[in-house]
């Protein structure tokens, strides 16, 4: 064959349509040495014909995962342009799974998969192909690498890393306040279809909460949710693949949400008037009794401070706030006297110490009550009119003679009779 004839055949071949299907028809990219490699074919006249080496032809292979057919799954076909169809070539396969997972018909180049393949275990397989002359066992094509890519099907449901989440949000939060974000993952291929596109929805927890479909962020959906009315909520979130469409696979998780306390309740005295009693003999600092305002809030939001703001006993009594019990302890400030005054009235105020400006409109965050303190009489000893008496007598005075008079009085209001005794 002359060079002119060779060129005509090459141009004719280039103009013919090339066979494409599952056959391996993407063209091997030769390295620098391959680009210039030549095959030396001896002629009958002893001269050497220099022929430019031609390459493999194939398309990239794609294989659907989780094949359920009874026969081996067809992958594709290796084909060399050196193959004349006379059976003189032998195709050899090596690499990932060659001979076990993937087998090749050495005569036709047809490749089959011998079992089901899971893309989530391995997404692609790298193999090498070679064609040799069956008689001489010499390669007619250099070994070349190709890839079998596993196409995904929707065989994995979205999963959450936790079965149960816990979260909290302040009570009285405005609608749309973010509570927590939950995220599900899908093992399917995110680059192929919608198998891994997850959409979130709420199955339980409405109308109190909502979830953003694309992000999984849970938000409050009702205004003025009050912890004092209800503290705990259970929300069930569903993640569904295929963009949430019918037929998509789904998974769920539970989110336990607690409303945390804010100071949205003022203190309240349970009674408008409180009655206490104290002995007139009680020393200064004696505790007369206690008052307590209740607050539906918790912790520091329920802390109150007590003080006496009015009344006719402001000079006689004081009040101390007991932090542990949140009570107001009323104590004696000055000595008491039943005979001077028997009843005192105090106006006591209880006020929150930590007021949240956001909830001023729910105030005022204080309350008052009236405390009436009755002074109880104590049986006091008689009181002499003088602390000492001095009498002069003659030495020869007769027995029974009056030498002087001492006088005592009963300070009690009842003025009980007084009996005198002489201790000499």
């Amino acid at each position: 064959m002359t060079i002119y004839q060779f060129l005509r055949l090459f141009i004719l071949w280039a103009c013919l349509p090339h066979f494409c299907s599952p056959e391996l028809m993407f063209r091997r990219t030769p390295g620098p040495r391959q680009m210039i490699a030549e095959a030396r074919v001896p002629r009958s006249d002893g001269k050497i014909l220099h022929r430019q080496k031609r390459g493999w032809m194939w398309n990239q292979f794609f294989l659907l995962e989780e094949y359920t057919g009874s026969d081996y799954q067809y992958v594709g076909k290796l084909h060399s342009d050196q193959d004349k169809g006379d059976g003189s070539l032998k195709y050899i396969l090596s690499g990932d799974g060659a001979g076990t997972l993937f087998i090749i018909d050495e005569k036709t180049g047809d490749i089959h998969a011998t079992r089901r393949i899971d893309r989530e275990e391995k997404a692609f397989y790298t193999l090498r192909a070679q064609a040799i002359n069956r008689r001489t066992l010499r390669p007619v094509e250099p070994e070349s690498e190709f890839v079998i890519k596993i196409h995904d099907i929707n065989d994995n449901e979205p999963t959450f890393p936790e079965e149960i989440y816990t979260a909290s949000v302040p009570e009285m939060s405005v609608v749309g306040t973010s509570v927590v974000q939950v995220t599900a993952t899908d093992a399917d291929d995110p680059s192929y279809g919608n198998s891994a596109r997850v959409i979130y929805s709420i199955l339980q927890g409405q109308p109190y909460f909502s979830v953003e479909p694309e992000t999984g962020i849970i938000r409050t959906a009702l205004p003025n949710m009050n912890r004092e009315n209800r503290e705990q909520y259970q929300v069930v979130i569903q993640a569904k693949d295929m963009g949430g469409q019918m037929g998509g696979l789904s998974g769920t998780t539970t989110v336990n949400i607690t409303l945390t306390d804010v100071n949205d309740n003022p203190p309240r005295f349970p009674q408008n008037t409180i009655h206490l009693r104290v002995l007139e003999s009680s020393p200064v600092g004696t505790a007369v009794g206690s008052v307590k305002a209740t607050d539906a809030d918790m912790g520091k939001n329920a802390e109150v401070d007590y003080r006496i703001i009015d009344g006719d006993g402001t000079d006689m009594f004081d009040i101390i706030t007991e932090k542990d019990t949140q009570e107001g302890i009323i104590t004696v400030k000055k000595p008491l006297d039943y005979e001077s005054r028997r009843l005192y009235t105090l106006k006591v105020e209880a006020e929150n110490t930590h007021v949240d400006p956001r909830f001023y409109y729910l105030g005022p965050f204080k309350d008052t009550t009236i405390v009436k303190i009755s002074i109880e009489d104590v049986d006091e000893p008689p009181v002499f009119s003088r602390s000492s008496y001095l009498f002069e007598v003659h030495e020869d005075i007769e027995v029974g003679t009056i030498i002087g008079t001492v006088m005592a009085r009963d300070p009690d209001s009842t003025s009980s009779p007084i009996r005198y005794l002489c201790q000499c």
Side-chain angles (χ1 to χ4, degrees), residues 163-217:
E163 290 185 8
I164 298 178
Y165 292 82
T166 57
S168 61
V169 65
E171 62 173 331
M172 308 296 288
S173 294
V174 298
V175 173
T177 299
S178 175
V179 180
V180 68
Q181 183 177 20
V182 294
T183 304
T185 57
D186 194 307
D188 291 320
D189 188 355
S191 64
Y192 184 72
N194 289 325
S195 297
R197 182 169 174 249
V198 175
I199 294 296
Y200 300 92
S201 60
I202 186 167
L203 301 183
Q204 177 183 318
Q206 294 174 315
Y208 309 102
F209 298 94
S210 64
V211 64
E212 292 184 356
E214 300 286 345
T215 65
I217 297 176

Side-chain angles (χ1 to χ4, degrees), residues 286-301:
T286 299
V288 177
S290 65
V291 295
K292 185 174 184 177
T294 59
D295 194 311
D297 295 318
M298 300 172 59
K300 71 175 185 179
N301 295 321

Side-chain angles (χ1 to χ4, degrees), residues 187-302:
D188 291 320
D189 188 355
S191 64
Y192 184 72
N194 289 325
S195 297
R197 182 169 174 249
V198 175
I199 294 296
Y200 300 92
S201 60
I202 186 167
L203 301 183
Q204 177 183 318
Q206 294 174 315
Y208 309 102
F209 298 94
S210 64
V211 64
E212 292 184 356
E214 300 286 345
T215 65
I217 297 176
I218 299 173
R219 298 184 181 276
T220 57
L222 278 184
N224 302 324
M225 286 195 292
N226 197 323
R227 183 197 65 84
E228 289 74 35
N229 295 335
R230 181 177 176 182
E231 185 175 5
Q232 299 288 338
Y233 295 84
Q234 189 171 82
V235 177
V236 177
I237 300 297
Q238 174 183 266
K240 190 174 184 180
D241 61 19
M242 297 299 292
Q245 297 176 5
M246 184 178 297
L249 304 178
S250 64
T252 61
T253 191
T254 298
V255 184
N256 292 325
I257 301 175
T258 301
L259 295 186
T260 57
D261 188 55
V262 299
N263 189 5
D264 60 336
N265 293 281
R268 289 287 180 260
F269 283 106
Q271 297 170 294
N272 292 328
T273 304
I274 299 173
H275 295 274
L276 300 176
R277 295 178 178 274
V278 63
L279 294 175
E280 63 174 332
S281 60
S282 298
V284 172
T286 299
V288 177
S290 65
V291 295
K292 185 174 184 177
T294 59
D295 194 311
D297 295 318
M298 300 172 59
K300 71 175 185 179
N301 295 321

Side-chain angles (χ1 to χ4, degrees), residues 117-130:
I117 298 177
D118 188 356
R119 188 202 66 85
E120 285 70 44
E121 292 181 2
K122 193 174 178 68
F124 63 89
Y125 294 82
T126 303
L127 296 102
R128 293 179 297 279
Q130 190 174 36

Side-chain angles (χ1 to χ4, degrees), residues 34-76:
Q34 295 169 338
M35 291 291 290
I36 61 174
E38 295 180 342
R40 301 192 176 199
V41 182
R43 289 175 35 162
S44 58
D45 57 4
K47 294 183 180 180
I48 301 297
L49 174 64
H50 296 271
R51 176 177 62 81
Q52 183 72 29
K53 181 176 289 294
R54 289 171 290 180
W56 290 101
M57 296 182 298
W58 55 59
N59 273 342
Q60 186 174 3
F61 290 144
F62 295 94
L63 189 63
L64 197 64
E65 69 168 332
E66 303 294 351
Y67 172 72
T68 58
S70 58
D71 298 329
Y72 288 166
Q73 186 178 7
Y74 182 68
V75 179

